[in-house]
Amino acid sequence: MNEPQPILVANFKAHKSWDEISAWIEQVAPKCNEFAGTVILCPSAPFLAAAHAKLQTLNSKLQLGAQDISKFEEGPYTGEISASQLKRICQYAIVGHSERRKYFAEGDGDVIQKVDLLLKNEITPILCVSDLKQLDSYVKEGKTIYDNAEKIIFVYEPPSAISKDRDYRPEDPQVADQNAAEISRIFNQNVVTLYGGSINPENIKAFLSKENIAGGLVGQACLDADTFLQLISKSA
Ligand code: PGA
């Protein structure tokens, strides 16, 4: 059996102008075409459409994801972006990131609604799990998540591991692996789980070599294209 290929997600958060994103894409896209795994770029929402057009022009394998999505369907929700609006622009969307929970008071119920809308619109949810207790409500209340676990990319990402001002503070890879295994156990099947939090070129191999970790969600270390290219090389 072939080994599953790694998935790398570049989460730009609220960083970069369009010119900077465009330059990053030009540098990183050619490498993605040689890479057997999947690379997903998540820029800020205003730049998704331009990034989509650029990737089509470049005929690139680099995929696009949104950093969040509205919990509502298309309608009178000022400032929101609905899953149906993004359907033709991106194939993935991050939901449940701990920064959304911390700064925007999102809870498990919001995350369940978002996952439901993404699945209806055939966008793959990249569902961050910052605490395994969240999975209890996904199992009990969120039939959507439990029943569709094989269509979701999970990310085990403890908030304590997220980098701060270039200070990397990763989880122990062994502990990350055990938690990723626990996610599969809870969903009663082998789900795809990434690890997130302070991934950098020095530590990525230690995470990707673990049996239950299918790839990485990268914040700080994706911003510089050269550093991100190193991450792709080390994942190959
Ligand atoms: P980090 O961020 O790689 O800077 O720790 C990861 C994330 O929050 O998605």
Side-chain angles (χ1 to χ4, degrees):
M1 206 174 86
N2 290 338
E3 280 290 303
Q5 297 298 338
I7 301 169
L8 288 182
V9 184
N11 178 10
F12 277 0
K13 308 192 180 184
H15 290 285
K16 293 192 187 289
S17 64
W18 168 246
D19 287 347
E20 290 166 335
I21 293 169
S22 176
W24 188 98
I25 290 175
E26 275 164 32
Q27 215 181 322
V28 173
K31 181 85 176 178
C32 297
N33 288 358
E34 298 160 15
F35 179 55
T38 305
V39 182
I40 304 164
L41 167 63
C42 302
S44 299
F47 307 123
L48 280 167
H52 174 69
K54 188 170 182 96
L55 290 173
Q56 285 202 318
T57 313
L58 293 173
N59 206 6
S60 174
K61 258 182 69 191
L62 177 57
Q63 308 273 302
L64 267 187
Q67 292 178 18
D68 188 34
I69 196 79
S70 177
K71 65 177 173 178
F72 299 114
E73 296 269 16
E74 188 175 332
Y77 304 105
T78 302
E80 291 291 87
I81 301 166
S82 70
S84 58
Q85 290 175 302
L86 284 183
K87 191 177 175 147
R88 281 180 187 72
I89 298 174
C90 46
Q91 304 88 338
Y92 300 87
I94 299 171
V95 281
H97 194 285
S98 60
E99 288 158 6
R100 301 289 319 165
R101 289 176 176 269
K102 180 174 172 190
Y103 299 115
F104 304 97
E106 286 189 5
D108 297 342
D110 301 309
V111 175
I112 293 167
Q113 277 179 263
K114 290 177 184 200
V115 169
D116 189 28
L117 288 173
L118 289 173
L119 292 171
K120 281 186 182 139
N121 285 282
E122 294 175 347
I123 298 172
T124 301
I126 300 174
L127 172 51
C128 297
V129 176
S130 41
D131 180 337
L132 293 199
K133 287 197 203 92
Q134 289 156 7
L135 299 177
D136 292 343
S137 61
Y138 298 161
V139 171
K140 283 194 208 111
E141 297 159 37
K143 272 189 83 52
T144 309
I145 295 180
Y146 190 82
D147 291 348
N148 292 288
E150 82 286 355
K151 296 186 188 145
I152 297 171
I153 297 174
F154 292 87
V155 186
Y156 170 65
E157 183 171 75
S160 59
I162 293 178
S163 70
K164 269 222 171 68
D165 306 327
R166 289 168 208 275
D167 170 22
Y168 291 113
R169 43 177 78 193
E171 175 70 281
D172 177 340
Q174 192 66 35
V175 175
D177 188 47
Q178 283 161 2
N179 281 292
E182 184 62 9
I183 295 177
S184 282
R185 196 195 60 73
I186 290 169
F187 286 107
N188 228 347
Q189 58 177 296
N190 256 338
V191 297
V192 173
T193 301
L194 316 182
Y195 164 74
S198 295
I199 290 179
N200 63 31
E202 281 71 53
N203 63 29
I204 189 159
K205 273 186 190 275
F207 288 104
L208 296 197
S209 64
K210 296 290 175 216
E211 192 184 337
N212 301 289
I213 298 178
L217 172 60
V218 187
Q220 187 63 239
C222 77
L223 296 175
D224 173 60
D226 288 326
T227 309
F228 192 68
L229 286 169
Q230 284 182 48
L231 292 178
I232 298 177
S233 298
K234 294 195 174 200
S235 311

